[in-house]
């Protein structure tokens, strides 16, 4: 009997031990399988927002990849080309735009706002750091400065004095060099900056196409053609504007040739007329259209151009500078031709141009050759 009791007690103990084991197995099953989660559904608005965020992220990533690829291609294309003192032509233009700031102002009239001035703005004018149109009436398409002088050819000198004075008093901090042009002038602004690079804007000097100042008793006196434009350094502009009050050096009356009187005034004020020719003595500024320099139809040496040019105005296929600055007597439709040939036209197989920046010229190193004509 006792043996049977022991047996029953043993069985009960074993059953009690099985209960926690079964419970543990059930708990493990719940832990592994887990209870069935509740389903969370996104609203249409949330789905749309998520799609927009994903799309925007993809667009940003693609744009970043595109920019990086273009930058890499440009670096690889220019790698190995630029030696000491050399820069590729593309990076050079951007550098000069920052370092040689040019303010351009164009002398025009309301009569030519739509037929000339707007076409300058759409072509070479947009490459100036700043451009203003000196006229007698405002225009909604142009950055105009309204002058008080009447629109008459006879008072161009008066309009020029007023224009330069306004620029000096109101726009001096916008540029280092100040270029005057007519509304039938074309200017290659990049070539102008490259020509000006060696000179400090604090040096009193100005450039253009040199004509002889025949009415002066001084030797080697010259002035710049108004048609092809002329550019003054910041210091030259300061001396010019302040000197306009001195009637012994600058003409007070308005009725005279603008370029002649400006040149005489600057000469009397001690501002040198610089030599704008290139190293091969070819003109960069030209007071006529290009064909007049390449194949001139003026055969007689008694033509006024050959007589009044300060430096020898040679006419031949190799007499025009490879990097010209300006031309005169350019028709409005030809502005777009010049712009296309200068900035969009290219040739297959032509090597990329690698330019040398010229050395800086200190004031004491400035040498201006005398007339050779």
């Amino acid at each position: 009997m006792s043996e049977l009791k022991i047996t029953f007690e043993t069985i009960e103990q074993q059953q009690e031990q099985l209960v926690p084991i079964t419970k543990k197995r059930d708990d493990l099953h719940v832990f592994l399988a887990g209870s069935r989660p509740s389903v969370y559904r996104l609203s249409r608005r949330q789905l749309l927002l998520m799609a927009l965020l994903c799309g925007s992220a993809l667009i940003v990533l693609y744009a970043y990849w595109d920019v990086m690829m273009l930058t890499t291609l440009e670096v690889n294309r220019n790698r190995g080309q630029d030696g000491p003192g050399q820069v590729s032509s593309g990076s050079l233009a951007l550098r000069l735009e920052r370092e040689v700031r040019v303010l351009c102002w164009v002398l025009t009239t309301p009569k030519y706002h739509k037929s000339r001035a707007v076409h300058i703005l759409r072509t070479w004018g947009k490459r100036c750091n700043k451009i203003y149109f000196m006229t007698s009436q405002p225009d909604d398409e142009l950055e105009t400065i309204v002058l008080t002088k009447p629109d008459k050819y006879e008072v161009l000198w008066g309009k020029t004095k007023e224009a330069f004075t306004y620029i000096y008093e109101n726009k001096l901090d916008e540029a280092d060099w100040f270029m005057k042009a007519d509304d039938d002038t074309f200017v290659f602004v990049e070539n102008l900056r490259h020509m000006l690079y060696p000179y400090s804007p604090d040096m009193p000097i100005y450039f253009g196409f040199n004509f002889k100042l025949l009415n002066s008793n001084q030797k080697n006196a010259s002035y710049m053609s108004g048609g092809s434009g002329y550019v003054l350094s910041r210091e030259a502009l300061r001396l010019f504007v302040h000197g306009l009050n001195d009637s012994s050096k600058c003409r007070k009356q308005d009725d005279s040739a603008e370029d002649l009187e400006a040149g005489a005034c600057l000469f009397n004020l001690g501002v040198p007329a610089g030599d704008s020719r290139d190293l091969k003595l070819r003109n960069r500024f030209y007071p006529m259209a290009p064909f007049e320099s390449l194949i001139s139809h003026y055969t007689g040496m008694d033509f006024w151009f050959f007589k009044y040019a300060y430096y020898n105005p040679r006419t031949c296929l190799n007499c025009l500078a490879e990097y010209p600055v300006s031309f005169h007597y350019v028709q409005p439709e030809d502005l777009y031709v010049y712009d296309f040939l200068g900035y969009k036209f290219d040739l297959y197989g032509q090597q990329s141009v690698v330019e040398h920046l010229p050395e800086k010229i200190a004031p004491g190193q400035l040498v201006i050759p005398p007339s050779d004509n």
Side-chain angles (χ1 to χ4, degrees):
M1 193 65 182
S2 61
E3 293 178 0
L4 181 62
K5 183 178 180 181
I6 293 172
T7 303
F8 284 151
E9 289 178 354
T10 303
I11 293 172
E12 289 178 355
Q13 290 176 358
Q14 291 177 351
Q15 288 178 345
E16 290 177 356
Q17 292 176 355
L18 288 175
V19 171
I21 294 176
T22 304
K23 186 175 184 301
K24 290 179 179 180
R25 185 173 63 241
D26 293 340
D27 292 342
L28 180 62
H29 177 74
V30 171
F31 173 77
L32 293 177
S35 59
R36 185 176 181 180
S38 59
V39 178
Y40 180 76
R41 298 181 181 275
L42 295 174
S43 65
R44 291 183 179 180
R45 189 172 184 179
Q46 291 172 326
L47 288 173
L48 179 60
L49 180 60
M50 183 176 293
L52 289 174
L53 291 175
C54 293
S56 300
L58 289 174
I59 292 173
V60 171
L61 289 174
Y62 177 78
Y64 175 77
W65 175 85
D66 192 39
V67 170
M68 292 302 296
M69 288 297 294
L70 290 174
T71 304
T72 303
L73 289 174
E74 184 67 20
V75 170
N76 291 335
R77 183 169 58 187
N78 293 331
R79 185 174 295 166
Q81 291 183 354
D82 299 352
Q86 296 178 337
V87 289
S88 59
S89 57
S91 59
L92 173 65
L94 294 176
R95 175 179 173 180
L96 290 177
E97 185 178 358
R98 296 189 300 267
E99 296 186 15
V100 185
R101 300 178 302 158
V102 177
L103 182 151
C104 306
W105 67 266
V106 179
L107 197 58
T108 188
T109 67
K111 175 183 177 181
Y112 293 125
H113 282 185
K114 305 304 182 185
S115 60
R116 293 185 183 182
V118 294
H119 302 297
I120 286 179
L121 181 62
R122 294 167 185 170
T123 53
W124 67 264
K126 62 187 178 184
R127 299 183 181 96
C128 302
N129 294 84
K130 293 287 185 178
I131 183 167
Y132 299 100
F133 294 87
M134 301 295 175
T135 183
S136 60
Q137 294 180 13
D139 191 289
D140 56 357
E141 289 189 76
L142 304 172
E143 189 74 25
T144 56
I145 294 175
V146 178
L147 304 178
T148 61
K149 303 295 181 181
D151 287 320
K152 293 182 180 180
Y153 183 81
E154 294 77 15
V155 295
L156 285 181
W157 170 230
K159 295 177 70 174
T160 300
K161 290 187 291 183
E162 184 180 358
F164 269 126
T165 301
Y166 181 91
I167 292 294
Y168 176 75
E169 294 178 349
N170 298 277
K171 308 292 183 181
L172 186 65
D173 60 342
E174 293 184 358
D176 309 306
W177 298 85
F178 303 85
M179 172 85 179
K180 177 266 173 187
D182 286 347
D183 55 12
D184 58 349
T185 306
F186 190 96
V187 181
F188 291 98
V189 183
E190 294 84 355
N191 294 346
L192 174 63
R193 292 192 180 105
H194 187 267
M195 187 201 77
L196 295 174
Y197 176 79
Y199 305 93
S200 169
D202 297 322
M203 179 189 300
I205 194 170
Y206 78 118
F207 295 94
F209 182 88
N210 304 63
F211 279 127
K212 298 174 183 177
L213 194 60
L214 297 177
N215 60 349
S216 174
N217 296 324
Q218 300 292 327
K219 186 179 179 181
N220 291 323
S222 67
Y223 70 98
M224 303 302 175
S225 166
S228 55
Y230 47 90
V231 57
L232 280 67
S233 68
R234 184 171 51 236
E235 178 63 12
L237 176 63
R238 184 188 70 83
L239 293 174
F240 177 71
V241 171
H242 287 286
L244 290 175
N245 297 321
D246 188 346
S247 59
S248 65
K249 296 180 179 179
C250 302
R251 183 180 175 88
K252 299 295 290 184
Q253 294 80 5
D254 297 337
D255 55 340
S256 187
E258 156 257 331
D259 50 4
L260 178 65
E261 293 300 338
C265 176
L266 288 165
F267 180 80
N268 294 331
L269 293 170
V271 178
D275 180 10
S276 62
R277 297 175 299 171
D278 65 11
L279 295 176
K280 297 181 181 180
L281 304 181
R282 298 174 298 186
N283 291 310
R284 289 189 176 108
F285 290 79
Y286 207 75
M288 296 182 183
F291 70 87
E292 301 290 357
S293 176
L294 300 174
I295 307 175
S296 176
H297 67 275
Y298 299 111
T299 56
M301 291 305 296
D302 57 346
F303 179 59
W304 67 267
F305 176 67
F306 297 107
K307 180 180 178 181
Y308 291 107
Y310 187 76
Y311 296 113
N312 186 4
R314 298 171 298 166
T315 301
C316 63
L317 289 176
N318 297 320
C319 293
L320 189 63
E322 291 177 322
Y323 299 98
V325 169
S326 66
F327 295 102
H328 190 210
Y329 299 125
V330 181
Q331 297 299 315
E333 58 270 17
D334 289 336
L335 292 172
Y336 296 95
V337 177
Y338 285 43
D339 200 69
F340 173 78
L341 293 176
Y343 296 93
K344 299 179 181 179
F345 179 83
D346 207 346
L347 296 174
Y348 281 107
Q350 189 175 15
Q351 294 183 350
S352 300
V353 177
V354 178
E355 296 289 355
H356 293 262
L357 280 174
E359 296 291 333
K360 292 286 188 178
I361 298 177
Q365 299 174 331
L366 180 62
V367 176
I368 300 176
S371 174
D372 59 358
N373 186 29

